[in-house]
Amino acid sequence: MKIRDLLLENCFFVDINVKDKWHFFKEIAECIAKEINLPAEKIEKALVERERLGTTAVGGGIAIPHSRLEGLEKIVIAVALSRQGFYFESLDKKPVHLVFVVLAPENESSLYLKTLAQLARILKQEDIKKRLINAQNIQEFKEVLAEVDREY
Amino acid sequence: MSLRVIVIGAGEVGYYLADRLSLEGHHIVVIDKDEDKIKRLERLLNVMAIQGSGASAKVLEEAGIKETDLFVAVTSSDEINLIACLLAREYGVPRKVARVRSEDYLSPDSPLNEQKLGIDLIINPARVLADEIVKLSEITEATDWAEFARGKVVLMGYVVKEGSPLAGLSLADLRELRALYDFVIVAIIRNNETIIPRGSDVIKLNDKIFVIAKKKDIPAIETLLGFKTEKPKKVFIIGGGQVGLWVAQRLEARKIEVYLVEKDEDRCEELAEELEDTIILNLDGLDAQELKKEGIDQADLVITVTDVDTVNILGALLAKHHGTKKCIVRIDRPDFIPLLSSLGIDVALSPRLLAANQILRFVRRGQILSVATFLVSDAEVVEMVIPETEFFSKGRRLEEVKFPQGAIVGALYRAGEVIIPKGETVLQPGDDLVIFAKRESLPKLEQLFST
């Protein structure tokens, strides 16, 4: 599997305008809902419930909100960039500029964890991270990703 | 530092303590009246064994009581244990521990209690067992649970079952997840062997894993790893002895539906007086038909705490066969323990080993802050303080410190804050480390941290 294969092309935001993470979840859930044919409220609820257990912002301007989702058939990833950054309750208190939203089927086994691990591995690389944040469109984003997104 | 220890009573607790303390390099003398037990000790352990009464001054002098640092009285008789401790006090032994079963000596308002008897620690195995059962009943999927660093750090044990997202994952993958989830897997138990894992190790089905994390992060970690935690709704306790009663009292206070099964009719009446909401069933714990009628198949948890090991094991297996989710079983004979997880027993607890572990915790109070041991494993978790030595004085990166093989740092506690350390984390004098260690690496660990 590769991260690129899981991206929802129609849920890629180059510069999302939201006031905080709760607002973000609402917006992104609406977009994802259309792509996977599940109710937006359900998607939003899953992300919010996970977030309440602890922030999914990992610091350095990145967040990876994620959850299992009943009724989902395969893992999907939505991406949002924000030039200005928005508030996500990061441990380092910095605004978030790049968000990967990962949703996985209820019974997905190790692939879900491997996907999260792969994202964490990619985002550790500072130059890649910067170039992803500055991507102008999904093609550019995928090209940068392709450099480090090896099969897992 | 090597201690001189006298242990009175070579039963299960005494034997286990003598074994563990002598392995750690302490000088041990064991006293027991029973010739067979003395012979067994001499044959199997590297300790001095004396046949005689622990309540006899002459025998105690022969054992070297005048130079003793620690006195442990764990015979099956409360009175002998207490008298032996009183004698030890007269000889000026600084630390004294007694096992006492009778409640008369245990309450703070009793005419004779710990303080008045001058005993530093009084241990009641039944009470220790009841506490442990209540603690483990809170968690339905973890098989082990221990707290460290004043409750801020926990160690959890889980079995990797069919469908678990962990099966097939490498430790290197899990390490990447630390950006999101701050935990370490400190050990894998596979085929009764304890593995301190490296990056290339892969988790397999039926492995038991031990995880160390901050307590506040546990709900998120369990959600990710697919382990569910819930308060049980319906619990059956088989065996209405002291332990069964205590556990029932604590669970009913938490609004859990409790059924207490006791064979003896008179005892049932006594139990009815002591309990409020618990439903008392005058039944045999192995009467499957009747228990099913009462709904044991719907129970989340069955706790078997009769005096008979075989009844406890069979009762738990029957309940699980009928659909109970989890069982906690009291076991007195340690020989059975290795069998149990392969039979499908989720948690096995030995009151004597629990009591012995509490004593070990007390013995090590100086250097090691606390210790938890696990029945399934030849390992334990210890808390140690980094000393003000030359080596550590300017701070040391974790990867620079040569930990003995078989030991791994799970957490660091500094000024009220918990850190789940990585290789580059700097250790400073005064830091409190939570370390998972195989038993044989303990003496080396103590050396590393000695002043």
Side-chain angles (χ1 to χ4, degrees):
Chain A
M1 190 54 70
K2 291 186 184 120
I3 297 295
R4 279 164 296 162
D5 303 334
L6 303 171
L7 293 180
L8 293 171
E9 303 239 346
N10 295 327
C11 290
F12 181 87
F13 295 82
V14 177
D15 193 8
I16 200 164
N17 184 18
V18 290
K19 59 177 198 295
D20 60 20
K21 63 175 168 183
W22 311 110
H23 185 199
F24 170 76
F25 291 146
K26 201 170 175 55
E27 294 286 315
I28 203 85
E30 268 167 33
C31 180
I32 297 171
K34 287 182 206 134
E35 300 300 308
I36 61 173
N37 264 325
L38 287 169
E41 302 77 57
K42 214 172 130 179
I43 299 168
E44 186 189 350
K45 189 172 167 243
L47 291 170
V48 165
E49 274 179 7
R50 167 59 192 86
E51 202 64 27
R52 291 225 167 98
L53 297 178
T55 184
T56 54
V58 298
I62 309 274
I64 313 176
H66 56 277
S67 175
R68 292 172 191 275
L69 185 65
E70 199 193 326
L72 189 65
E73 276 164 21
K74 66 182 259 299
I75 299 182
V76 294
I77 300 178
V79 174
L81 305 177
S82 166
R83 304 291 167 215
Q84 200 189 333
F86 63 94
Y87 183 61
F88 213 105
E89 294 173 42
S90 314
L91 295 176
D92 62 3
K93 309 245 181 348
K94 287 182 183 154
V96 157
H97 296 282
L98 168 56
V99 188
F100 282 88
V101 179
V102 181
L103 294 172
E106 275 280 82
N107 58 354
E108 186 62 76
S109 54
S110 62
L111 193 60
Y112 175 38
L113 300 196
K114 283 181 178 163
T115 301
L116 293 172
Q118 175 84 339
L119 279 174
R121 194 178 289 134
I122 290 171
L123 294 170
K124 267 200 312 207
Q125 306 170 49
E126 280 299 322
D127 60 316
I128 296 287
K129 190 174 98 183
K130 268 194 201 128
R131 285 162 62 205
L132 287 173
I133 290 173
N134 289 316
Q136 296 300 314
N137 52 50
I138 187 160
Q139 278 70 37
E140 214 182 305
F141 190 87
K142 281 169 93 171
E143 278 165 28
V144 177
L145 207 52
E147 294 176 29
V148 284
D149 185 17
R150 58 182 166 79
E151 186 77 32
Y152 62 94
Chain B
M1 188 186 76
S2 166
L3 297 175
R4 297 183 72 89
V5 185
I6 294 182
V7 177
I8 309 291
E12 218 47 76
V13 181
Y15 183 89
Y16 179 76
L17 278 174
D19 183 21
R20 299 292 297 280
L21 290 172
S22 68
L23 275 180
E24 285 166 28
H26 302 298
H27 179 268
I28 316 293
V29 182
V30 184
I31 301 171
D32 198 292
K33 276 200 292 206
D34 185 335
E35 194 185 341
D36 293 339
K37 283 185 181 154
I38 290 296
K39 279 188 179 152
R40 177 166 171 249
L41 273 176
E42 282 174 334
R43 202 170 62 240
L44 298 173
L45 300 185
N46 183 20
V47 301
M48 187 176 154
I50 296 174
Q51 193 187 345
S53 166
S56 141
K58 189 167 150 272
V59 174
L60 291 178
E61 283 196 22
E62 188 191 339
I65 187 125
K66 285 177 184 156
E67 293 83 37
T68 293
D69 304 300
L70 172 72
F71 188 86
V72 181
V74 287
T75 72
S76 53
S77 153
D78 284 359
E79 287 70 25
I80 296 217
N81 294 342
L82 291 175
I83 289 173
C85 277
L86 290 177
L87 277 169
R89 186 172 70 171
E90 291 308 308
Y91 280 108
V93 177
R95 291 201 283 172
K96 300 157 288 294
V97 178
R99 174 169 78 174
V100 174
R101 288 201 179 85
S102 164
E103 282 296 289
D104 293 350
Y105 303 110
L106 295 169
S107 66
D109 49 350
S110 133
L112 282 179
N113 58 22
E114 268 171 63
Q115 246 179 348
K116 287 178 190 152
L117 292 163
I119 297 172
D120 303 277
L121 177 70
I122 286 189
I123 288 230
N124 179 346
R127 182 154 280 193
V128 179
L129 177 64
D131 287 348
E132 193 71 12
I133 290 173
V134 170
K135 208 169 81 179
L136 287 171
S137 71
E138 273 186 25
I139 291 167
T140 43
E141 283 210 58
T143 52
D144 298 81
W145 179 31
E147 290 184 359
F148 302 92
R150 300 182 196 177
K152 290 193 171 184
V153 172
V154 287
L155 173 122
M156 315 282 287
Y158 303 100
V159 175
V160 178
K161 293 184 184 147
E162 191 83 47
S164 162
L166 281 167
L169 228 62
S170 73
L171 268 287
D173 284 331
L174 284 166
R175 222 165 270 167
E176 296 297 344
L177 283 178
R178 291 205 44 196
L180 279 162
Y181 291 92
D182 213 7
F183 69 94
V184 278
I185 295 191
V186 290
I188 300 173
I189 318 269
R190 187 178 293 158
N191 304 327
N192 287 325
E193 199 200 332
T194 305
I195 304 164
I196 307 287
R198 297 161 193 263
S200 56
D201 281 313
V202 174
I203 296 174
K204 294 182 183 162
L205 207 62
N206 298 323
D207 279 355
K208 179 168 189 169
I209 57 162
F210 281 107
V211 175
I212 288 186
K214 292 176 200 165
K215 191 175 185 181
K216 68 174 178 60
D217 292 339
I218 286 294
I221 292 169
E222 289 196 330
T223 306
L224 178 78
L225 303 183
F227 296 116
K228 288 191 200 83
T229 288
E230 299 157 342
K231 192 168 90 170
K233 290 185 196 76
K234 185 170 181 174
V235 176
F236 270 70
I237 301 170
I238 296 176
Q242 188 65 70
V243 177
L245 172 62
W246 277 331
V247 173
Q249 279 171 333
R250 304 261 297 269
L251 296 184
E252 71 172 19
R254 290 174 50 220
K255 304 288 165 221
I256 293 166
E257 192 183 340
V258 183
Y259 291 76
L260 180 53
V261 181
E262 168 58 43
K263 206 162 58 170
D264 184 86
E265 207 179 327
D266 295 340
R267 177 65 182 163
C268 281
E269 273 170 34
E270 284 172 34
L271 290 170
E273 274 172 34
E274 301 266 351
L275 291 160
E276 280 172 26
D277 300 322
T278 297
I279 296 161
I280 293 155
L281 303 171
N282 185 204
L283 288 174
D284 186 320
L286 297 180
D287 189 341
Q289 292 310 321
E290 287 295 329
L291 288 172
K292 218 177 151 189
K293 234 187 260 172
E294 301 293 343
I296 198 165
D297 49 333
Q298 307 294 323
D300 306 298
L301 173 66
V302 167
I303 299 164
T304 54
V305 284
T306 72
D307 291 333
V308 187
D309 281 359
T310 46
V311 170
N312 293 342
I313 295 171
L314 287 171
L317 290 177
L318 263 174
K320 285 210 85 176
H321 174 73
H322 285 298
T324 302
K325 283 190 205 134
K326 178 181 169 178
C327 61
I328 298 178
V329 175
R330 169 190 176 155
I331 291 292
D332 282 313
R333 283 189 61 164
D335 325 6
F336 286 153
I337 287 165
L339 280 176
L340 297 173
S341 72
S342 60
L343 284 174
I345 301 278
D346 302 293
V347 182
L349 297 172
S350 150
R352 296 197 175 98
L353 293 194
L354 287 172
N357 283 332
Q358 199 169 344
I359 296 172
L360 281 177
R361 219 170 293 171
F362 170 81
V363 172
R364 292 166 172 161
R365 211 163 41 175
Q367 198 171 30
I368 300 180
L369 297 178
S370 71
V371 55
T373 49
F374 306 98
L375 290 180
V376 293
S377 168
D378 52 347
E380 52 188 63
V381 178
V382 294
E383 261 184 287
M384 296 181 119
V385 179
I386 297 187
E388 190 79 48
T389 54
E390 207 188 316
F391 179 76
F392 285 111
S393 64
K394 289 198 181 70
R396 285 278 174 183
R397 283 202 313 280
L398 178 58
E399 60 209 1
E400 288 179 310
V401 181
K402 276 209 177 107
F403 276 88
Q405 242 188 355
I408 177 172
V409 179
L412 184 163
Y413 183 68
R414 178 189 299 156
E417 284 298 314
V418 173
I419 300 165
I420 307 295
K422 298 178 178 161
E424 68 262 25
T425 305
V426 176
L427 310 181
Q428 293 166 2
D431 286 356
D432 181 358
L433 296 185
V434 180
I435 302 169
F436 187 98
K438 286 208 190 181
R439 222 154 267 160
E440 68 261 21
S441 64
L442 275 179
K444 279 189 188 151
L445 260 185
E446 284 188 34
Q447 244 170 38
L448 184 65
F449 288 95
S450 64
T451 40

